[in-house]
Amino acid sequence: MSLSHPLPHTRTRTVKFLTAAAAARHVAKEIDKLIRARNAAGKHTVLGLATGSTPVSLYRELIRLHKEEGLDFSRVVTFNLDEYYPMPKESQHSYFRWMHETLFSHINVKWENIHIPDGALKPDEVDAACEEYDEKIRSFGGIDIQVLGIGRTGHIAFNEPGSPQNSRTRLVTLDSITRRDAADGFSGEKNVPHHALTMGVASILEARRIFLMAFGEHKASIVYKAVEQAPTEAISASFLQEHRDATFVLDEAAAAELTAIKRPWEVGPCQWSPELVRKAVVALALTVKKGLQKLNDDDFRDHHLYELLREKGPAEQIGEAVFHDRMETIRPYPAGRVTKDGERKTAIVFSPHPDDDVISMGGTIIRLVEQGHKVHIAYMTSGNVAVFDHDARRFVDFVDEFLQSFGTSAEQSSAGTLKERVYQFLDAKKAGERDSPEVLKVKSVIRTTEARAGALVCGIPPEQLEFMDLRFYHTGTRTKNPIHPQDIEDIVALLKRLNPDQVYVAGELSDPHGTHRVCAEAVFAAVRRVRAEGVNPDVWLYKGAWEEWEPHEIEMAVPLSPDVVERKKQAIFRHQSQKDKAMFPGGTDRREFWQRAEQRNLATARTYDALGLPEYYALEAFVKWNDG
């Protein structure tokens, strides 16, 4: 659902949806209405399209509308925003190929109506082709609906910082941050092109209607700057403020830094729900650097909280109520104590990748085991695309050497042949090329054995590990398929078999790669199914490696001692293929996973201490899933 009206305090119309999927459906519905109206009038519809992870859910919904509800694209004309340069059309990195694989091959758009900048042009052909591209758009009467994403530098298309408002389609040099963000798909930043062809800011602003979609915590900061600060060439998306019909379409995570969301009491009257009171008072305490029970009336008056003080005051009463609320979140025994007659709880930790369990909640796992509860870990995907090629070489080399020393002649021959095939493929592999099934299997085995080693550090034996290898992940690339129905059936079967009291799920629904979100949605669907059949576990959400729950959101905080934190780090270290440098480190954060985990857990404890709550060495935080 969205807000019934645009968010206040923004310079551009901005709407927020609960999820990225809901936001995508909203944009798809607007496109659907326009196409059907134009088709009925015998006219064409001109769409400006974007690439990247953000519009994938939109394109999947348009495909569904075409296949299930008869949306006819035969009169639709498309113009894509950009293309890397130089970039052959057949390259797996080309936007030309991506658009056909992601959208065009699934709908009935005519080939001659598809327009994408040509990354294979000769240098002396570029300027004329760019002018022709703008002219081609004008020849169709201009773009009716333009779909945009936003980069972390604030760029729309590839209009990097410094792009003037009057810029047209042209060749540009890519910003280092943009290239770094694209590095994962190119197997390293060194393989990312330095240039791109892009529609200019002026070209984009000529569209009659614009939807800029932004999803995830990592987009929140730049969205705030684009919609609440003055237009500037440093953030080309900010120029949308001057468009007559532009809308920012956000999920909750991308909207988190907007004033109307982060500090709604600053933009108008509020309905002071317990959740909003907690958010405001926690923020106030951290701002004025006082414990919750030390806040006074002036603190509230000086920080736009007059209404809250009048409705719920005095300050001491408000602060004390929030203090006791936060105290109740501290849970040294996350599953309760084992009863005197030895009754213990069963917990399932769903780990999207083979290391998310120990990175995100390794300390809690250790405490659950130490307290006598039975913990199962379900590794939902193989995580094989995150293994470097050099690790695949190292492990097949180890197997070959091992069998040369201990194996039979037949085993030695087989291992040698495997090593030759793997080496031959990797020697010929191009940057970013998909691995062969054999290499993917090698990488899967690497991560499986690492997961067993990491779990053992936490006290969990191999027989309590489930390697689910869900089908949606089987693409060999970062881009994943939608959840497969059988994936949900597999989770349902596991829940029925183990009948857990607690389920832990990665709740980072806006993670950069999508796997966490898909896995969470699959678990939620399965839990709904089994609850109807009497299996009714508590479901707790943990954050992945990129973010932490806000202090006012936390509903369970598990204290960790220095010894437990050290054991957690040792469990993370067992994931050697992700040690030192991970394939997908997430944005510009170059810390190793163990560093992120330790620093995050220590920071959460410091925050609790700053609020005047009991002081702990470290805390792991959770939020309870509410299916409402």
Side-chain angles (χ1 to χ4, degrees), residues 27-258:
V27 178
K29 183 178 180 180
E30 295 302 307
I31 293 174
D32 176 276
K33 288 192 296 186
L34 178 64
I35 292 175
R36 293 183 191 275
R38 291 296 184 88
N39 286 348
K43 298 178 180 180
H44 59 250
T45 303
V46 183
L47 300 179
L49 301 179
T51 51
S53 60
T54 298
V56 169
S57 53
L58 167 63
Y59 296 156
R60 287 175 176 168
E61 177 63 10
L62 291 176
I63 293 168
R64 188 196 68 78
L65 289 168
H66 168 66
K67 293 183 175 181
E68 298 180 12
E69 300 185 22
L71 181 59
D72 180 12
F73 287 85
S74 62
R75 292 180 180 271
V76 171
V77 179
T78 69
F79 287 90
N80 261 70
L81 286 167
D82 44 31
E83 177 62 280
Y84 288 110
Y85 184 85
M87 182 61 63
K89 291 180 179 179
E90 65 274 9
S91 169
Q92 61 184 344
H93 301 302
S94 77
Y95 286 159
F96 179 92
R97 179 172 174 175
W98 189 92
M99 284 300 305
H100 281 80
E101 291 178 350
T102 306
L103 177 63
F104 296 148
S105 64
H106 305 282
I107 58 177
N108 65 328
V109 63
K110 294 180 180 178
W111 180 272
E112 61 269 23
N113 285 347
I114 297 170
H115 304 89
I116 301 174
D118 187 357
L121 292 168
K122 296 177 181 179
D124 60 358
E125 298 174 330
V126 168
D127 289 344
C130 289
E131 291 182 15
E132 183 181 343
Y133 201 74
D134 280 337
E135 181 56 39
K136 193 76 169 180
I137 294 173
R138 286 191 286 269
S139 73
F140 280 97
I143 292 173
D144 295 306
I145 291 180
Q146 174 68 63
V147 176
L148 298 174
I150 183 171
R152 288 194 305 116
T153 64
H155 65 252
I156 49 177
F158 276 130
N159 291 286
E160 301 284 21
S163 296
Q165 187 173 359
N166 63 356
S167 58
R168 312 296 308 188
T169 300
R170 67 204 188 283
L171 180 69
V172 296
T173 299
L174 298 180
D175 187 272
S176 60
I177 294 178
T178 300
R179 295 183 64 247
R180 195 177 305 134
D181 285 347
D184 297 341
F186 283 84
S187 297
E189 187 176 342
K190 65 180 184 298
N191 300 313
V192 180
H194 286 262
H195 299 92
L197 299 169
T198 183
M199 286 171 56
V201 176
S203 307
I204 292 169
L205 293 178
E206 287 175 355
R208 279 178 278 280
R209 196 174 184 191
I210 297 174
F211 291 102
L212 187 149
M213 303 165 64
F215 308 140
E217 295 94 338
H218 57 300
K219 296 294 179 69
S221 175
I222 197 64
V223 165
Y224 163 75
K225 294 175 182 177
V227 302
E228 290 199 24
Q229 296 183 355
T232 171
E233 290 184 355
I235 301 173
S236 59
S238 66
F239 288 127
L240 296 183
Q241 296 176 20
E242 301 178 7
H243 191 273
R244 61 188 176 279
D245 192 359
T247 304
F248 276 66
V249 182
L250 314 175
D251 68 353
E252 285 199 326
E257 291 297 317
L258 298 182

Side-chain angles (χ1 to χ4, degrees), residues 142-400:
I143 292 173
D144 295 306
I145 291 180
Q146 174 68 63
V147 176
L148 298 174
I150 183 171
R152 288 194 305 116
T153 64
H155 65 252
I156 49 177
F158 276 130
N159 291 286
E160 301 284 21
S163 296
Q165 187 173 359
N166 63 356
S167 58
R168 312 296 308 188
T169 300
R170 67 204 188 283
L171 180 69
V172 296
T173 299
L174 298 180
D175 187 272
S176 60
I177 294 178
T178 300
R179 295 183 64 247
R180 195 177 305 134
D181 285 347
D184 297 341
F186 283 84
S187 297
E189 187 176 342
K190 65 180 184 298
N191 300 313
V192 180
H194 286 262
H195 299 92
L197 299 169
T198 183
M199 286 171 56
V201 176
S203 307
I204 292 169
L205 293 178
E206 287 175 355
R208 279 178 278 280
R209 196 174 184 191
I210 297 174
F211 291 102
L212 187 149
M213 303 165 64
F215 308 140
E217 295 94 338
H218 57 300
K219 296 294 179 69
S221 175
I222 197 64
V223 165
Y224 163 75
K225 294 175 182 177
V227 302
E228 290 199 24
Q229 296 183 355
T232 171
E233 290 184 355
I235 301 173
S236 59
S238 66
F239 288 127
L240 296 183
Q241 296 176 20
E242 301 178 7
H243 191 273
R244 61 188 176 279
D245 192 359
T247 304
F248 276 66
V249 182
L250 314 175
D251 68 353
E252 285 199 326
E257 291 297 317
L258 298 182
T259 303
I261 303 301
K262 192 171 185 177
R263 300 180 303 279
W265 48 88
E266 293 185 13
V267 301
C270 294
Q271 296 293 323
W272 288 107
S273 66
E275 294 78 15
L276 187 57
V277 171
R278 183 169 65 238
K279 181 176 184 177
V281 176
V282 167
L284 175 62
L286 295 175
T287 298
V288 301
K289 295 181 171 56
K290 290 183 179 181
L292 292 166
Q293 294 181 301
K294 295 181 178 179
L295 296 172
N296 60 44
D297 287 4
D298 286 340
D299 294 324
F300 283 76
R301 295 190 186 99
D302 292 343
H303 293 85
H304 306 280
L305 292 170
Y306 320 91
E307 289 185 2
L308 175 57
L309 186 63
R310 287 197 297 268
E311 289 187 28
K312 307 289 185 180
E316 292 81 359
Q317 179 176 308
I318 302 172
E320 185 171 357
V322 176
F323 172 84
H324 288 297
D325 173 87
R326 295 295 80 195
M327 277 291 295
E328 291 179 3
T329 66
I330 301 172
R331 298 270 292 273
Y333 293 85
R337 297 176 185 267
V338 174
T339 61
K340 292 182 179 179
D341 58 4
E343 182 181 350
R344 59 179 180 167
K345 301 289 181 64
T346 297
I348 302 178
V349 177
F350 283 98
S351 184
H353 303 96
D355 57 354
D356 288 311
D357 55 331
V358 292
I359 292 172
S360 299
M361 57 169 293
T364 300
I365 292 172
I366 291 169
R367 297 215 62 168
L368 287 167
V369 172
E370 288 181 338
Q371 292 165 9
H373 301 292
K374 189 172 185 180
V375 180
H376 295 259
I377 301 178
Y379 299 104
M380 304 183 75
T381 72
S382 67
N384 54 13
V385 299
V387 177
F388 288 102
D389 291 345
H390 62 76
D391 278 317
R393 290 179 187 270
R394 180 166 64 92
F395 276 88
V396 296
D397 185 50
F398 170 82
V399 171
D400 182 48

Side-chain angles (χ1 to χ4, degrees), residues 319-613:
E320 185 171 357
V322 176
F323 172 84
H324 288 297
D325 173 87
R326 295 295 80 195
M327 277 291 295
E328 291 179 3
T329 66
I330 301 172
R331 298 270 292 273
Y333 293 85
R337 297 176 185 267
V338 174
T339 61
K340 292 182 179 179
D341 58 4
E343 182 181 350
R344 59 179 180 167
K345 301 289 181 64
T346 297
I348 302 178
V349 177
F350 283 98
S351 184
H353 303 96
D355 57 354
D356 288 311
D357 55 331
V358 292
I359 292 172
S360 299
M361 57 169 293
T364 300
I365 292 172
I366 291 169
R367 297 215 62 168
L368 287 167
V369 172
E370 288 181 338
Q371 292 165 9
H373 301 292
K374 189 172 185 180
V375 180
H376 295 259
I377 301 178
Y379 299 104
M380 304 183 75
T381 72
S382 67
N384 54 13
V385 299
V387 177
F388 288 102
D389 291 345
H390 62 76
D391 278 317
R393 290 179 187 270
R394 180 166 64 92
F395 276 88
V396 296
D397 185 50
F398 170 82
V399 171
D400 182 48
E401 288 292 327
F402 180 87
L403 292 177
Q404 292 300 325
S405 300
F406 302 104
T408 65
S409 57
E411 289 172 333
Q412 292 169 359
S413 175
S414 175
T417 303
L418 171 64
K419 178 179 177 180
E420 290 173 4
R421 291 199 304 270
V422 169
Y423 272 50
Q424 184 178 22
F425 174 83
L426 294 178
D427 287 343
K429 180 181 176 182
K430 298 177 182 178
E433 181 181 350
R434 297 180 185 183
D435 285 325
S436 67
E438 201 164 46
V439 171
L440 284 173
K441 182 61 178 177
V442 169
K443 293 182 175 182
S444 295
V445 171
I446 291 171
R447 299 217 67 182
T448 297
T449 54
E450 290 174 346
R452 290 197 190 103
L456 200 58
V457 173
C458 297
I460 302 176
E463 58 268 23
Q464 288 169 216
L465 306 180
E466 309 284 341
F467 293 92
M468 307 193 74
D469 196 23
L470 298 183
R471 295 156 186 80
F472 81 91
Y473 192 83
H474 296 178
T475 64
T477 68
R478 282 183 68 187
T479 302
K480 305 306 175 192
N481 292 322
I483 195 70
H484 193 284
Q486 189 58 48
D487 291 337
I488 298 177
E489 295 295 335
D490 290 347
I491 300 171
V492 167
L494 178 64
L495 292 170
K496 287 183 177 179
R497 173 161 59 87
L498 297 179
N499 191 16
D501 301 282
Q502 290 186 326
V503 165
Y504 292 87
V505 183
E508 194 169 30
L509 304 185
S510 300
D511 79 289
H513 312 134
T515 299
H516 286 209
R517 182 183 66 252
V518 175
C519 286
E521 290 172 349
V523 175
F524 298 156
V527 169
R528 293 186 188 103
R529 289 264 303 275
V530 299
R531 279 181 172 172
E533 302 178 39
V535 179
N536 192 26
D538 290 333
V539 179
W540 291 98
L541 307 180
Y542 61 84
K543 283 283 191 178
W546 295 276
E547 304 288 340
E548 179 58 287
W549 299 109
E550 294 293 333
H552 66 275
E553 296 176 313
I554 296 172
E555 295 179 82
M556 179 167 69
V558 180
L560 310 181
S561 67
D563 178 64
V564 169
V565 171
E566 182 60 31
R567 285 182 60 189
K568 171 177 175 171
K569 286 160 56 177
Q570 292 301 319
I572 297 172
F573 291 162
R574 296 300 187 271
H575 293 267
Q576 293 182 354
S577 68
Q578 307 303 297
K579 183 72 176 66
D580 300 325
K581 182 181 180 181
M583 180 79 77
F584 305 129
T588 58
D589 192 338
R590 298 303 180 185
R591 292 176 296 168
E592 294 183 35
F593 284 132
W594 71 268
Q595 293 172 315
R596 299 188 205 188
E598 181 179 47
Q599 292 168 17
R600 180 176 68 179
N601 297 159
L602 268 59
T604 302
R606 287 194 297 269
T607 298
Y608 265 52
D609 183 35
L611 293 172
L613 298 163

